[in-house]
Amino acid sequence: MGAWAIAVHGGAGVDPNLPKERQEEAKRLLTRCLDIGISALRSNLSAIDVVELVVRELETDPLFNSGRGSALTENGKVEMEASIMDGPKRRCGAVSGLTTVKNPVSLARLVMEKSPHSYLAFSGAEEFAKKQGVEMVDNEYFITEDNVGMLKLAKEANSILFDYRIPAVGTCGASAAMDSPLQMNGLPISVYAPETVGCVVVDKQGRCAAATSTGGLMNKMSGRIGDSPLIGSGTYASELCGVSCTGEGEAIIRSTLAREVSAVMEYKRLKLHEAVDYVIKNKLDEGKAGLIAVSKDGEVACGFNTTGMFRGCATEDGFMEVGVW
Amino acid sequence: MGWAIAVHGGAGDIPLSLPPEKRLPREAGLRRCLDVGIAALKAHNHPLDVVELVVRELENNPHFNAGKGSVLTTSGTVEMEACIMDGKTMKCGAVSGVSTVVNAISLARLVMDKTPHIFLAFDGAEAFAREQGLETVEMSHFITPENIERLKQAQEADRVQLDYTQPIPKEVPKEAAVADGDSQIGTVGCVAVDSEGSLATATSTGGIVNKMVGRIGDTPIIGAGTYANHLCAISATGRGEAIIRGTIARDVAAVMEFKGLSLKEAAAYVIDQVPRGNAGLIAVSSTGEVTMPFNTTGMFRACATEDGYSEIAIWDSPTK
């Protein structure tokens, strides 16, 4: 019998000026989620059950950008997406464009298990949710004051930086948001909301699973789909490993980041840590992202080329660590 | 080294007994699209423009499951999806849930070129199309009598399956095959490389017959149905779920890169990993090679290379 391992994340790309108490709040949430996952693993729940359980917890807490507390679209509403994957048979489920489903990751699981498809979106997904009897709420439930404020800042920042592919050289320094040269997804880091939450688990039977959930990019166009619900990009699990990514959606998609970790393990025979390092170093080009991963052998690893990533991990032998930088 | 191009009109359980009235128009369509692509490559158009052009032709052809001629959702509506990727820059664009845009592939291209995003879907995609002034029409434009019939048959088959005195299976069968082999036509695509080694891929589809409203398949998922990098460009077709979990398109390039296999070997290897009857793909490499493996009964396909080779085929032996 193998050993279990678990990792969670609350987004890559953290403002170096983030107030200490926000950092502590984040670490407390990550610790709580790890404890929930560890408890479930000790009770012999399977990896797929544990990742769903933990991501539900992250969605329900308004701190990170998923479920309640999701980033807002340009119209001030919430559109959520999530995906989940079960390593052993590489079964998968994904959802996008959810506006009233309380826990997107659970709907993704239902798509995987109760529908003939792998990915449902927008009104079709909401219809399916109704038929499945999952908990539905008003869109307002997901919207927090914090994010309403952030949306305003994002709109202001974007009106200065209309093309984020051009570096912000020589633009006016009037707004405090422009002081930090760090940018992600076209927004100054102080305004950028880390995009996503996720969890990866390997259970005692060596089964890996991964799940990712998000409200997506602040001020995104309605209908925009990011990397989180895309199997192979934001989420991936196989016989070898489970991976969940976060950061610049475009970069993660172009590099099919989650799949990449498993592919180099499979085809280059790298071990988990080497695979994660290799992929972060070589496959992101100009993009900024991070990921967490577990292997069937009970290892856990994380990697990121951003300034910080909210994360936590634990293994059966008692190792546990929660970090931001 | 030289240019190369391949097009496909879907892999599936295409019966060997396919009647001429169903076979000939598709062969003619493939031939025409191949010629359009060849002419564009000879005129030194960028592969990205070539694949978009060819897929637009395939979308406009009602005999293929994309654009006009798209299969229908369970509600009798059309929800199209498409995806395009540039191997050199790795920029990409995808759309889903498109119901009024005449050429979904061109909308995907605009998402790539004109937005900071990669993937737009449903209402958001439609709104963007209008903003960009793309040609839109009534949804009825895309619906053909053949597809209304296909939907009827599929829904009948579902009803029959439920009427059978077998217990409802505990596990919902994933995208189960419909009895009629002709319904297995899924997806169109084109891959191209120019003599400089620049690669591009484009895929477009109406999805699967009787799909749930809101269902997204493999086509717009980068790495699943569509992928290109500096080594090769791929467009896949077949059962969406198998292609998604197998990250088919990405794997061809990954196997070339990490195992050092040639394009042909890599593509064959990847198709081999997929359960029989589930997938096919077309691929070109930066050095002008082309390959079109499939593990289904057949795949509507055609290809040509600069040295004068060309092929149009459905089953294992070329029909030309």
Side-chain angles (χ1 to χ4, degrees):
Chain A
M1 192 117 299
W4 56 255
I6 177 173
V8 301
H9 74 73
V14 186
D15 182 2
N17 299 318
L18 189 70
K20 205 70 168 100
E21 73 263 17
R22 293 295 301 253
Q23 297 183 40
E24 291 307 311
E25 226 185 325
K27 284 160 80 169
R28 276 197 299 274
L29 174 57
L30 291 166
T31 305
R32 207 176 80 232
C33 289
L34 274 183
D35 286 338
I36 288 170
I38 291 168
S39 190
L41 281 162
R42 288 190 179 138
S43 315
N44 279 321
L45 252 59
S46 64
I48 191 79
D49 287 332
V50 179
V51 297
E52 184 191 352
L53 195 60
V54 171
V55 173
R56 280 178 68 94
E57 189 63 33
L58 289 160
E59 286 171 341
T60 306
D61 193 296
L63 187 65
F64 292 128
N65 175 9
S66 70
R68 183 144 182 265
S70 279
L72 307 180
T73 68
E74 62 183 359
N75 305 322
K77 298 250 178 307
V78 161
E79 274 176 20
M80 301 166 288
E81 43 198 20
S83 63
I84 189 167
M85 192 159 185
D86 192 13
K89 293 205 176 112
R90 286 175 298 151
R91 301 179 306 144
C92 44
V95 288
S96 278
L98 299 184
T99 53
T100 63
V101 174
K102 188 148 180 262
N103 287 102
V105 71
S106 293
L107 190 66
R109 176 129 189 223
L110 286 169
V111 170
M112 176 173 86
E113 288 176 344
K114 295 278 168 66
S115 89
H117 304 317
S118 298
Y119 191 2
L120 287 180
F122 292 90
S123 60
E126 299 263 327
E127 266 311 302
F128 177 68
K130 272 198 203 92
K131 290 210 172 95
Q132 293 292 317
V134 304
E135 197 175 351
M136 323 260 296
V137 293
D138 282 335
N139 199 252
E140 280 71 52
Y141 163 86
F142 304 103
I143 300 174
T144 59
E145 236 179 81
D146 257 3
N147 280 318
V148 172
M150 289 292 237
L151 179 64
K152 243 171 63 189
L153 288 178
K155 283 187 186 290
E156 278 164 24
N158 275 335
S159 68
I160 302 168
L161 314 154
F162 60 83
D163 184 343
Y164 77 88
R165 278 164 289 203
I166 300 167
V169 172
T171 47
C172 66
S175 145
M178 298 297 292
D179 284 352
S180 169
L182 281 175
Q183 273 186 43
M184 274 184 74
N185 268 318
L187 291 172
I189 197 78
S190 53
V191 173
Y192 173 76
E195 274 195 76
T196 299
V197 301
C199 179
V200 293
V201 164
V202 56
D203 60 28
K204 284 195 262 227
Q205 279 72 36
R207 296 175 295 208
C208 299
T212 314
S213 179
T214 189
L217 191 55
M218 185 68 77
N219 199 26
K220 67 184 178 180
M221 290 168 75
S222 175
R224 177 260 188 182
I225 291 176
D227 62 288
S228 302
L230 302 186
I231 296 296
S233 289
T235 304
Y236 190 77
S238 64
E239 296 273 335
L240 293 179
C241 63
V243 184
S244 170
C245 306
T246 166
E248 292 184 322
E250 212 213 7
I252 294 168
I253 294 171
R254 286 155 54 138
S255 59
T256 52
L257 202 61
R259 169 62 182 136
E260 207 68 359
V261 174
S262 187
V264 299
M265 286 181 77
E266 202 178 327
Y267 299 133
K268 280 173 80 80
R269 304 220 174 281
L270 296 190
K271 306 237 62 181
L272 186 74
H273 283 94
E274 299 171 312
V276 170
D277 282 343
Y278 178 89
V279 163
I280 293 287
K281 189 175 290 168
N282 298 300
K283 292 296 174 176
L284 280 172
D285 292 332
E286 306 299 310
K288 297 252 170 289
L291 63 91
I292 52 174
V294 289
S295 75
K296 67 171 174 39
D297 298 321
E299 302 157 293
V300 67
C302 64
F304 50 96
N305 68 357
T306 50
T307 312
M309 177 167 86
F310 292 111
R311 70 211 179 270
C313 54
T315 51
E316 190 166 6
D317 60 10
F319 170 76
M320 176 147 151
E321 179 184 86
V322 170
V324 179
W325 313 109
Chain B
M1 219 164 106
W3 57 255
I5 180 170
V7 308
H8 74 75
D13 193 17
I14 306 165
L16 289 155
S17 55
L18 189 71
E21 65 267 20
K22 292 204 168 147
R23 178 171 59 84
L24 294 171
R26 287 174 182 147
E27 276 174 13
L30 289 172
R31 187 172 288 114
R32 222 185 93 243
C33 289
L34 188 68
D35 287 342
V36 165
I38 292 169
L41 279 166
K42 283 183 170 159
H44 301 291
N45 286 310
H46 191 279
L48 209 51
D49 294 327
V50 176
V51 298
E52 183 188 353
L53 189 63
V54 171
V55 169
R56 282 175 68 95
E57 284 298 321
L58 288 160
E59 285 171 338
N60 295 340
N61 187 317
H63 296 288
F64 295 109
N65 174 15
K68 188 166 189 184
S70 281
V71 296
L72 308 180
T73 70
T74 195
S75 302
T77 54
V78 157
E79 284 178 2
M80 301 170 287
E81 37 198 27
C83 184
I84 189 166
M85 189 161 186
D86 178 342
K88 180 170 267 157
T89 62
M90 310 265 306
K91 286 179 63 174
C92 36
V95 292
S96 274
V98 168
S99 304
T100 66
V101 178
V102 175
N103 292 104
I105 193 63
S106 296
L107 185 61
R109 177 102 193 246
L110 286 173
V111 172
M112 178 175 89
D113 287 342
K114 297 276 167 71
T115 75
H117 303 323
I118 284 182
F119 195 172
L120 283 184
F122 293 90
D123 289 350
E126 294 270 332
F128 177 64
R130 280 161 181 77
E131 247 175 65
Q132 293 291 315
L134 269 194
E135 196 186 349
T136 58
V137 290
E138 290 285 315
M139 190 168 61
S140 52
H141 161 93
F142 305 99
I143 300 176
T144 59
E146 290 79 15
N147 279 307
I148 294 176
E149 184 55 35
R150 282 198 185 104
L151 179 62
K152 225 168 83 177
Q153 286 178 14
Q155 288 174 332
E156 261 307 307
D158 266 1
R159 255 196 301 277
V160 166
Q161 273 162 21
L162 286 177
D163 285 349
Y164 254 173
T165 51
Q166 274 160 15
I168 293 165
K170 198 159 137 233
E171 267 196 30
V172 179
K174 283 289 175 193
E175 307 201 331
V178 173
D180 177 14
D182 188 46
S183 303
Q184 291 310 299
I185 309 316
T187 314
V188 301
C190 178
V191 292
V193 59
D194 64 18
S195 48
E196 253 114 77
S198 292
L199 291 145
T201 174
T203 318
S204 180
T205 187
I208 54 172
V209 194
N210 201 23
K211 65 181 179 178
M212 289 171 73
V213 168
R215 177 259 189 189
I216 294 179
D218 61 282
T219 295
I221 300 181
I222 296 292
T226 310
Y227 185 78
N229 66 6
H230 64 285
L231 288 172
C232 58
I234 300 99
S235 171
T237 164
R239 299 253 174 85
E241 216 241 348
I243 296 171
I244 291 172
R245 51 207 279 276
T247 54
I248 302 290
R250 171 68 188 114
D251 267 33
V252 175
V255 166
M256 283 182 78
E257 184 179 345
F258 301 132
K259 281 171 87 82
L261 298 193
S262 70
L263 180 79
K264 262 194 167 57
E265 293 168 336
Y269 178 93
V270 169
I271 288 295
D272 229 29
Q273 303 293 308
V274 182
R276 271 216 85 70
N278 276 263
L281 64 90
I282 55 173
V284 288
S285 72
S286 60
T287 52
E289 302 158 288
V290 65
T291 185
M292 306 188 290
F294 53 96
N295 69 10
T296 47
T297 308
M299 180 168 80
F300 289 104
R301 64 199 187 278
C303 69
T305 51
E306 190 166 4
D307 60 10
Y309 177 75
S310 87
E311 178 190 326
I312 297 179
I314 302 173
W315 300 281
D316 269 323
S317 34
T319 55
K320 242 180 52 139

